[in-house]
Amino acid sequence: MSKKMSFQSATSLFIAAGLLIITIFLPWWGMKFYAPQYQEGLNIIVYPYKLAGEIDIVNSLNHYIGMAQFSEESFPELQFLPWIIAGLALLIVFTGLLRKMSLLYGLIGLFILGGILGIYDIRRWLVSFGTDLDPMAPITVDPFVPPIIGENTIANFVTNSYFSYGSFLLLLVFLLLLFPLWKERHQ
Amino acid sequence: MKKLFSGAGGILAGLLVAFVFFGSSSLGAEEQALSSENKSNAEAVYVPHGEHDEYYLINSGGHSGQLFVYGVPSMRHIRTIPVFTPDPATGYGFDKESKEMLGGYTWGDLHHPALSETNGDYDGNFLFATDVANNRVAAIDLEDFHTVDILEVPNIGGPHCAAFVTENTEYIFLPTRFSLPFDTDYASLDDYSEEFRGVMSAVTFDQESKEFDVAYQVALPPWSYDKARAGKRDSSDWAVISTYNTEEATTNLEINASQADRDYIVLFNWKNLEERVANGEYEEFNGEKMIYPEKHKGDIYLVPVAKSPHGIDVSPDGKYFIASGKLAPAMTVFSFEKAFEAIENEDFSGERNGLPVLNYDSVMEREVDPPGALGPLHTQFDERGNAYTTMFISSEVVKWEYETGEVIDRHDVYYSPGHLVTPHGDTADPQGKYLVSLNKIAKDNFLSVGPSHPESMDLFDISGDEMRHLMSVPVNPEPHYGQMVHRDVINPFHVYEMDESNPNAVYDQNDTRIERDGDNVTVYGISMRSKFIFDAASERPDVIEVNEGDTVTMHITNTDFDQDIVHGLGIMDYDLNFEQMPGQTKTLEFVADKAGVFPIYCTNFCSALHQEMTGYLMVKPKE
Ligand SMILES: [Cu+2]
């Protein structure tokens, strides 16, 4: 039978759940576009439920190379991602209330799986946007895949991709999920 | 004899050596000093890439009907603002709104620009200017530096003496250069004194709705009103106007208006006039509320002044008004306090055209007459008690203390200055850092372009005791006056916001459409990098098909909400062109009275595929 976790461990889980909810309202990932005429940079900022930044301007420039338009409609994830996060937070609270270590193991597994899926999803979109270019586009460029983190050069633009506050907080949530493992270790 | 020769030779050689060594070395030192002075002057006006000028200089463009915006100290021309004149570069006067605003006029004579004020200092909201030629007043919104309203003012004859605003922009006053027949449209010049009047208008501007209105008018005597200023601080309820031709001459004014030794300064209390209007003490005249000063006494007085003064300026502390002699080579400083006292004590020397004349000696504080300085025209101020006056005839700027009359410095300008400008130099809070004299004659200052010369401006650093001449620059005709305002006061935006309540605006390509109602064709289209979309559902979305004789209305929205991405829309052979700034919706209305195929193209270079940004206006011939 699985061991019951301590009050401190349960608290750690409650804090994790709270932080996880907060991440919904924070940017997770972003890409900044620099060009000679755009010294100040143009942004695409991804929140779990929306896109922010100068999306329209980026779109109006990207259409020259035949890239598909970014919009909230083109990312179905934005519709259900907040609910998945909320559900996960609920599971964390549930685990904290029951103080069951076995449930926590499952939770950590789920979290890791979610992370891998998330990164795979970003990568999938980057490949799709960078390689599935409209052959009718006025300017022909070789297909390209920008990295998930770091710099890339395409035509007159240098792009810089980065993880943002939401992701950092996710990492903290993950550490808080791991805390009971350390706390309840066999001594 | 030989000795004598060799002696003389020795002296000559000595002189030669002295000349070669000392002569040339002293010349070198002078040259060196000059070149290092030039270098430091160059440094004073150089604004490196990435930095901005400290001040805006917004100059009147005179009979070009435009305004010109410069940066100080670099003196770089930044932008031209069309006001009273159509401007194909921006489509001003072509699109429906600005065309209606211009009212069919193709030129204007833009004189004295005036920034709106709050508490006696520029607030950066609006700029006002008048058209002396066609009796109009215009407002320029400093959020986008575009003309937002033009009002044609009735009953007046050339608002040269404007615009001047009161301390909190309650009124913009428009006294005029010409007097006109008053009760009738036509009157003989023989009856000038009886039948003519110089009507002054008090105009209000609603900063919310961005609209002018005439509050009331004053039927002043048939004289010429030249320059004017509102009071400041303790004198802020008052205003002063300089006059000439109080002789009431009707021909050869050069001679006939220069006969009397004295003309007048009109001193009036606008708060009193406002109250009078509120109490109904006016008469309806040709649609306006007219005040007759000879009937309603107590608000308007005359102060005698040396003949034909030009500029009149109020010191920043509001204590003095200073008249520049033009024909009498002196600046006369008058005291507001003494004038108020004279009014209180009815210390009058007589009456003219029903207006009380104050005793000159009771109001005059001092006459300042720098030796040899001729033709004083206009005065600006710094915050250290100094006045700066242009001398048109002796071609110089004189710096003097208005409290003492002491002349501090004089400097030549190149040549014949009219107005001059210092930063916030006509407000209650001047910033005495720079001075720009606006000169009427350039002669050989710049590369020759034949007989048509530019006007010229001289830039001075006036932060020290001595005025330091930094440079001369050419300027478009004709800078009558300017306003120099600190960059922190002005906050323009770059992209028009989406306005979902605008029925003419289309922001989504799928909403573009062409509607037909009888002979009226209305296009709801967009311009974007790099195409026009007039009707997204059409086989050719960038083509407009109409019948000869149709009235075409094009509402075009620039959907590039991106700084400095401007589109223009020109129609070949139709003499039409207008621009849409980022996010802006504009309307073009015309009758398609020529049959044929007329290319449409973007006239404002917008993108790498700007050349491809085209379409067609297809006008089907009548059967
Ligand atoms: Cu264009």
Side-chain angles (χ1 to χ4, degrees), chain B residues 284-587:
Chain B
E284 286 291 340
F285 179 87
N286 200 10
E288 303 301 336
K289 301 179 172 76
M290 189 68 70
I291 295 176
Y292 296 82
E294 71 275 17
K295 288 184 199 163
H296 306 115
K297 292 193 183 226
D299 314 321
I300 303 179
Y301 301 89
L302 301 176
V303 179
V305 64
K307 70 167 155 187
S308 301
H310 192 53
I312 180 132
D313 295 280
V314 173
S315 60
D317 53 20
K319 287 185 183 166
Y320 307 100
F321 52 101
I322 298 164
S324 298
K326 188 169 78 180
L327 300 185
M331 290 79 81
T332 313
V333 182
F334 297 93
S335 159
F336 269 112
E337 210 180 325
K338 287 182 177 172
F340 300 157
E341 216 172 299
I343 290 168
E344 180 94 24
N345 302 333
E346 304 197 349
D347 183 4
F348 303 143
S349 64
E351 210 181 68
R352 181 71 205 274
N353 294 50
L355 298 170
V357 180
L358 303 186
N359 207 330
Y360 177 77
D361 294 319
S362 309
V363 182
M364 197 273 292
E365 188 80 26
R366 69 179 54 82
E367 289 168 350
V368 179
D369 183 7
L374 296 173
L377 290 192
H378 298 284
T379 301
Q380 294 269 288
F381 301 92
D382 66 20
E383 67 281 28
R384 301 176 292 273
N386 296 307
Y388 301 81
T389 304
T390 47
M391 299 289 163
F392 181 78
I393 299 171
S394 57
S395 206
E396 61 182 321
V397 174
V398 174
K399 173 184 178 180
W400 55 287
E401 257 179 22
Y402 59 83
E403 285 276 5
T404 62
E406 190 194 339
V407 173
I408 311 288
D409 189 27
R410 296 166 67 160
H411 202 294
D412 288 347
V413 299
Y414 313 96
Y415 308 92
S416 299
H419 279 270
L420 76 172
V421 203
T422 59
H424 298 233
D426 55 15
T427 73
D429 295 295
Q431 303 176 8
K433 200 161 174 184
Y434 297 106
L435 182 154
V436 175
S437 78
L438 307 170
N439 312 321
K440 302 300 186 190
I441 293 174
K443 301 287 287 268
D444 294 326
N445 284 349
F446 314 105
L447 285 177
S448 173
V449 289
S452 263
H453 291 67
E455 317 294 334
S456 93
M457 300 194 280
D458 285 296
L459 172 69
F460 291 89
D461 177 340
I462 56 163
S463 53
D465 278 345
E466 285 184 9
M467 298 179 282
R468 190 170 134 214
H469 183 263
L470 298 177
M471 71 162 150
S472 305
V473 288
V475 57
N476 282 321
E478 182 187 349
H480 290 289
Y481 187 39
Q483 299 273 272
M484 208 193 300
V485 53
H486 197 274
R487 64 181 181 206
D488 290 350
V489 178
I490 310 276
N491 294 300
F493 68 83
H494 295 136
V495 175
Y496 286 83
E497 275 174 27
M498 226 179 245
D499 178 9
E500 298 288 2
S501 70
N502 183 351
N504 299 334
V506 176
Y507 298 109
D508 186 336
Q509 302 185 18
N510 299 320
D511 295 337
T512 56
R513 63 198 184 275
I514 299 174
E515 290 175 358
R516 172 174 283 281
D517 176 16
D519 295 340
N520 294 304
V521 177
T522 309
V523 180
Y524 296 87
I526 63 176
S527 50
M528 61 183 283
R529 277 171 291 187
S530 309
K531 63 181 81 165
F532 294 111
I533 303 175
F534 302 127
D535 179 4
S538 161
E539 186 194 347
R540 295 189 178 89
D542 44 18
V543 169
I544 302 168
E545 287 180 42
V546 302
N547 299 317
E548 188 182 349
D550 283 350
T551 298
V552 183
T553 306
M554 297 176 72
H555 305 298
I556 304 295
T557 304
N558 177 350
T559 59
D560 282 314
F561 289 84
D562 193 2
Q563 182 175 2
D564 206 9
I565 303 300
V566 178
H567 298 294
L569 190 158
I571 307 177
M572 193 173 283
D573 284 338
Y574 259 87
D575 195 27
L576 291 171
N577 173 53
F578 72 128
E579 82 167 14
Q580 308 92 45
M581 288 174 281
Q584 193 184 35
T585 304
K586 274 204 190 153
T587 301

Side-chain angles (χ1 to χ4, degrees), chain B residues 567 602 604 606 610 613:
Chain B
H567 298 294
C602 178
N604 199 307
C606 58
H610 163 78
M613 189 164 170

